[in-house]
C-alpha cells in the first residue's frame, strides 16, 4: 500500500519508495566494495527488517547468504524497553563468518547493542551493522553502525517493514505516524 491509501494516519511522508530504493542502491555499492573478497552472511531481525533485507539482498551484486533472528522487545508501545528476548535464533553457526546485521531502525540503540554483543560472542570473523534508519537524538547507547540509510528526527515512523501494533508494515513509503493514531 501507498501513503495515499492511509493518508490520515501519517503526519508526514519522510521517504518515498523510490528514495528508499535509491539509497539502498548506494549502500549496496559501499557494501560490495567492502565485501568483494569475503561474501557476507546477512542477518536480518524479524519482522521489521524483512523489506530492507529483501531489497538490499537483491540489489547486492555479490553472493550472500541470509539468516534470520526474531527478538522481542516487549509491548505494543512506541518506546523501546531495551529488554530483549530471543524468540527465534539463527540456524547458521557464525564461527569464521563475515556477518552483516541488517536492521530497519536504530532508535535507542539498546536492541542492536544487545544483538551485536550476542553475535560477537559467537566468534564471527567480522561483524558490522547496516541500518536503514537511525534516530541520533534518541540514542541511549552508542552503536557503531557502518552503513546508515537515513538519519531521521526523533519521531515514531512506520512503513517499509516498520509497524505500530503490527500495522503499516506493508506501506511502501516511510512516514511519521500521526499522534491521533496512538493517542
Ligand atoms: P531500539 O530503541 O534501538 O532498541 O529499537 C528497538 C526496536 O524498536 C526497533 O528494532 C524497531 O523494531 C522498534 N522501533 C524503534 N523506533 C521505531 C519507530 O519509529 N517505528 C517503528 N518501530 C520502531
Amino acid at each position: 500500500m501507498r501513503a495515499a491509501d492511509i493518508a490520515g494516519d501519517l503526519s508526514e511522508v519522510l521517504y518515498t519508495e523510490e528514495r528508499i530504493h535509491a539509497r539502498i542502491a548506494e549502500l549496496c555499492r559501499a557494501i560490495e566494495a567492502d565485501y568483494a573478497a569475503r561474501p557476507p552472511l546477512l542477518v536480518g531481525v524479524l519482522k521489521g527488517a524483512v523489506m530492507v533485507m529483501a531489497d538490499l539482498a537483491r540489489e547486492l551484486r555479490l553472493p550472500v547468504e541470509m539468516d534470520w533472528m526474531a527478538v522481542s522487545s516487549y509491548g505494543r508501545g512506541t518506546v523501546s524497553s531495551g529488554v530483549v528476548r530471543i524468540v527465534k535464533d539463527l540456524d547458521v553457526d557464525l564461527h569464521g563468518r563475515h556477518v552483516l546485521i541488517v536492521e530497519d531502525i536504530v532508535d535507542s540503540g539498546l536492541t542492536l547493542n544487545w544483538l551485536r554483543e550476542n553475535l560477537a560472542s559467537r566468534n564471527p570473523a567480522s561483524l558490522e551493522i547496516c541500518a536503514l534508519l537511525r534516530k541520533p537524538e534518541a540514542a541511549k547507547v552508542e552503536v557503531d553502525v557502518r552503513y546508515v540509510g537515513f538519519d531521521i528526527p526523533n519521531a515514531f515512523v512506520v512503513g517499509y517493514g516498520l509497524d505500530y501494533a503490527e500495522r503499516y508494515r506493508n506501506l511502501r513509503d516511510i512516514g511519521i505516524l500521526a499522534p491521533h493514531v496512538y493517542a
Side-chain angles (χ1 to χ4, degrees), residues 80 103-111 135 155-157 162-163:
S80 172
E103 254 290 35
D104 47 4
I105 190 164
V106 193
D107 183 6
S108 68
L110 293 169
T111 306
K135 297 182 192 170
F156 195 80
V157 295
L162 290 159
D163 75 307

Side-chain angles (χ1 to χ4, degrees), residues 158-179:
V158 294
Y160 199 70
L162 290 159
D163 75 307
Y164 171 66
E166 296 301 326
R167 294 171 60 201
Y168 309 108
R169 290 195 198 275
N170 65 322
L171 173 64
R172 289 175 180 269
D173 315 288
I174 294 171
I176 296 178
L177 190 63

Side-chain angles (χ1 to χ4, degrees), residues 10-50:
L10 300 179
S11 55
E12 190 185 336
V13 175
L14 283 181
Y15 303 106
T16 62
E17 179 179 34
E18 292 71 25
R19 183 100 189 271
I20 296 165
H21 286 166
R23 184 65 186 126
I24 285 178
E26 289 175 354
L27 294 178
C28 284
R29 302 296 86 81
I31 293 168
E32 287 156 7
D34 294 345
Y35 286 89
R38 41 177 194 130
L41 170 68
L42 305 180
V43 169
V45 184
L46 296 169
K47 305 168 191 170
V50 164

Side-chain angles (χ1 to χ4, degrees), residues 110-166:
L110 293 169
T111 306
L112 259 183
N113 192 48
W114 178 90
L115 188 66
R116 177 191 261 282
E117 282 176 18
N118 184 288
L119 299 190
S121 72
R122 307 181 193 195
N123 298 312
S126 67
L127 179 60
E128 300 290 350
I129 298 169
C130 173
L132 183 64
L133 304 174
R134 180 172 64 182
K135 297 182 192 170
E137 292 157 30
K140 290 197 181 133
V141 285
E142 285 304 321
V143 190
D144 180 18
V145 182
R146 185 165 183 121
Y147 311 97
V148 180
F150 303 103
D151 278 327
I152 64 168
N154 194 7
F156 195 80
V157 295
V158 294
Y160 199 70
L162 290 159
D163 75 307
Y164 171 66
E166 296 301 326

